Amino acid sequence: MASATQSKADQPITAILAPLLAIIVGMFMVILDGTAMNVALPGLVMDFESSLSTVQWTVMGYALAQAAVIPLAGWLSDRFGAKNIFLISVFLFTVGSGLCALAGSIEQLIAYRIIQGIGGGMVAPIAMAFTYRLAPPGKVGAVMGMIGIPMLLAPALGPIVGGWLIEDASWHWIFLINLPIGVIAVLIGLKTLPAIDRQQVPTLDFLGMVFGPLAFAALAYGLSEGGTSWTSAKTLTGIIVGGVSLIIFIIVELNRKQPLLELRVFRSGNFTKGIIVQWVSQVALFGTMFLIPLLLQQSHGYGALKTGVLMLPMAIASTIFMPLGGKLFDKIGARPLVVAGMLMVSIAAFLLTGIDADASQYEYILPLGMLGAGMGLSMMPLNTHIIQASPAHLVGRVTSLTAALQQVVTSFAIAILTTILMNKVGDYNPQYNPMTDPIPVDAFSDTFAILIWVGAAGVLIGFLLSRPKPQEGATGEGVEKPVMMVNH
């Protein structure tokens, strides 16, 4: 055993480049496709002659599908083998992409995006765990850094690639481009990924599997329908079914020894404060990433490619400040970084409220750069703080919990902000027709004003964070490594 360990320690990183390539290609494809969708939404409204409230479900349905399967990734990997589940996930995502390209109605596209999300949701957590096992001892940081490349690069390139494909071809190519990439990833993986021994697993939480996704999807549906009427049958049905399902889900999870999502971790006050700040930051970041492309295309008439390029300052700033936040965390803790980051987000939202219909494209550079910098500065410290604030015996379950809830909060943010936006559109243009009328800039300004208060709430809660005390038994051995999810 010692000689085998020593042999692995002496193994150069180049020896595992082939399996790493399969993992990186799979992750890159999933993340790139997700961020490319944001610039496609205005075109989908026109092509399918639908409303934004309906088209938004191509993003929300995808996020909720991911939330449903992320907690299952570890269980399925242990039960059926990490290699098998990773390749099946990439294959399912690729099949979902092909179906999306063939969609003849918005309802079909939403259904196929859910299939994509089921496959794509498990790719990142399994990839991170796989990479950690592949890495030679003493070289884990370098290898995990290689996996970080698609996590940072894909969100930056997604809107640009998506914009280019939409302008030079059609939205169908956002999905068609995945077909050869997915096939390559599967073929490389079949040949190079090692088979990891299966392990004994606890009984699967079937009730959690049913009531969790039902609660989140029904609540998101009710919130989105609220944009039309808060007293309609659709709105009330979604909220009531979602609320009852959520109560049942919480009761079930708190009473199971091996729940789908470990909700008992919320008994830690420091963890709860950290996760609330994370949710606030999710609303601010992904709400803005959803709204900005709509603003640029609907109100300013910019093309999809130009819109994608204008989103680049946010991605660049996030990439620069993310490692800085990670380094500063060890010296000063999460609180000052979170406060500073959320303050920058609030200022960015304030600047966006002042942009009018005649604004130059250059006026977007500063607020988008500040938004990216604020999120980059606070994201890694928040992730690490949440892991450290978890009770020692629950640390291994926290990654799947936080990753799944991030997707849920993102879908809620999109539903709520779309509802607010469309209500504001009705205030400024009661006769608004999505097929012929642009969305008034003032409606976007009023919606961004909401995000000022969201960021301010993050600042206030950030002041309440305190350094978690080292917990007995939290040595890190046998514990899942923190996974930072990038929204798709």
Side-chain angles (χ1 to χ4, degrees):
M1 178 67 69
S3 60
T5 303
Q6 182 61 39
S7 175
K8 187 178 179 182
D10 295 337
Q11 185 183 43
I13 292 179
T14 53
I16 60 170
L17 283 181
L20 278 180
L21 180 62
I23 292 172
I24 289 174
V25 169
M27 286 185 66
F28 187 83
M29 173 182 66
V30 171
I31 299 173
L32 183 80
D33 184 87
T35 57
M37 274 299 293
N38 287 330
V39 299
L41 297 180
L44 294 176
V45 171
M46 302 297 294
D47 285 1
F48 288 115
E49 297 183 355
S50 186
S51 65
L52 179 60
S53 298
T54 301
V55 170
Q56 69 174 342
W57 275 94
T58 59
V59 178
M60 288 167 52
Y62 182 87
L64 289 170
Q66 287 185 314
V69 300
I70 285 172
L72 297 176
W75 189 93
L76 290 172
S77 296
D78 290 342
R79 177 68 178 82
F80 300 104
K83 176 178 179 177
N84 294 332
I85 299 303
F86 179 78
L87 294 178
I88 289 172
S89 298
V90 173
F91 176 75
L92 187 59
F93 181 87
T94 306
V95 170
S97 297
L99 291 172
C100 287
L102 298 174
S105 68
I106 190 62
E107 291 79 14
Q108 288 182 0
L109 182 58
I110 292 169
Y112 298 150
R113 281 284 285 170
I114 291 173
I115 294 175
Q116 258 196 321
I118 292 172
M122 287 189 286
V123 168
I126 296 176
M128 297 294 285
F130 220 131
T131 305
Y132 184 72
R133 292 186 180 186
L134 285 174
K139 300 174 183 176
V140 174
V143 174
M144 297 297 278
M146 295 175 67
I147 292 299
I149 294 173
M151 297 182 74
L152 293 176
L153 190 59
L157 294 179
I160 298 175
V161 172
W164 170 58
L165 291 173
I166 291 167
E167 286 197 2
D168 284 11
S170 69
W171 61 264
H172 303 81
W173 280 93
I174 293 178
F175 304 108
L176 289 173
I177 196 174
N178 294 330
L179 301 185
I181 299 175
V183 170
I184 291 171
V186 170
L187 292 177
I188 296 175
L190 281 171
K191 291 185 176 181
T192 63
L193 287 175
I196 297 175
D197 293 339
R198 302 178 186 182
Q199 302 177 28
Q200 289 187 340
V201 293
T203 303
L204 188 59
D205 179 10
F206 286 105
L207 287 177
M209 282 180 59
V210 171
F211 285 103
L214 177 61
F216 303 142
L219 286 171
Y221 176 75
L223 291 172
S224 65
E225 287 296 324
T228 304
S229 171
W230 287 106
T231 57
S232 69
K234 291 181 179 179
T235 301
L236 294 176
T237 299
I239 292 176
I240 292 172
V241 171
V244 172
S245 299
L246 182 61
I247 292 172
I248 296 174
F249 176 71
I250 292 172
I251 293 172
V252 168
E253 298 305 278
L254 291 178
N255 286 279
R256 286 188 67 91
K257 290 184 178 179
Q258 296 289 336
L260 185 68
L261 293 178
E262 185 53 85
L263 302 183
R264 285 180 284 255
V265 73
F266 282 97
R267 292 172 181 168
S268 166
N270 222 4
F271 171 88
T272 302
K273 287 181 285 188
I275 200 73
I276 291 174
V277 177
Q278 188 178 64
W279 292 345
V280 168
S281 68
Q282 290 282 119
V283 172
L285 175 62
F286 295 110
T288 304
M289 289 178 65
F290 177 79
L291 291 173
I292 287 289
L294 291 172
L295 168 61
L296 295 175
Q297 293 181 65
Q298 287 273 330
S299 300
H300 292 293
Y302 293 164
L305 177 57
K306 187 174 183 178
T307 297
V309 172
L310 286 175
M311 297 292 288
L312 197 56
M314 183 165 65
I316 293 174
S318 179
T319 303
I320 293 172
F321 278 83
M322 195 173 294
L324 177 62
K327 290 180 180 179
L328 290 175
F329 173 80
D330 292 328
K331 297 180 180 179
I332 61 178
R335 179 165 55 190
L337 296 171
V338 169
V339 170
M342 295 309 299
L343 183 61
M344 294 172 76
V345 169
S346 294
I347 296 173
F350 174 74
L351 293 175
L352 287 170
T353 62
I355 295 179
D356 56 30
D358 299 324
S360 163
Q361 60 191 26
Y362 300 107
E363 292 184 46
Y364 287 94
I365 294 177
L366 178 59
L368 287 177
M370 290 189 67
L371 186 70
M375 298 311 303
L377 193 64
S378 59
M379 190 173 292
M380 279 302 291
L382 259 180
N383 278 340
T384 309
H385 171 89
I386 288 169
I387 296 295
Q388 291 183 349
S390 307
H393 66 290
L394 298 177
V395 167
R397 309 293 304 279
V398 168
T399 297
S400 60
L401 172 70
T402 56
L405 291 181
Q406 282 181 29
Q407 300 300 324
V408 172
V409 170
T410 296
S411 66
F412 283 180
I414 292 172
I416 293 170
L417 290 173
T418 302
T419 298
I420 294 171
L421 176 65
M422 298 316 296
N423 283 334
K424 294 298 181 182
V425 169
D427 292 341
Y428 289 106
N429 183 4
Q431 307 301 320
Y432 173 73
N433 184 336
M435 296 298 105
T436 58
D437 300 334
I439 297 178
V441 174
D442 289 339
F444 282 104
S445 296
D446 290 351
T447 308
F448 283 124
I450 302 296
L451 294 178
I452 297 175
W453 298 105
V454 171
V459 172
L460 294 176
I461 302 172
F463 274 114
L464 301 177
L465 297 179
S466 57
R467 283 203 180 199
K469 297 178 181 178
Q471 300 188 54
E472 188 177 345
T475 62
E477 294 182 8
V479 169
E480 284 182 82
K481 298 300 170 183
V483 178
M484 181 176 60
M485 297 298 295
V486 177
N487 182 265
H488 309 327

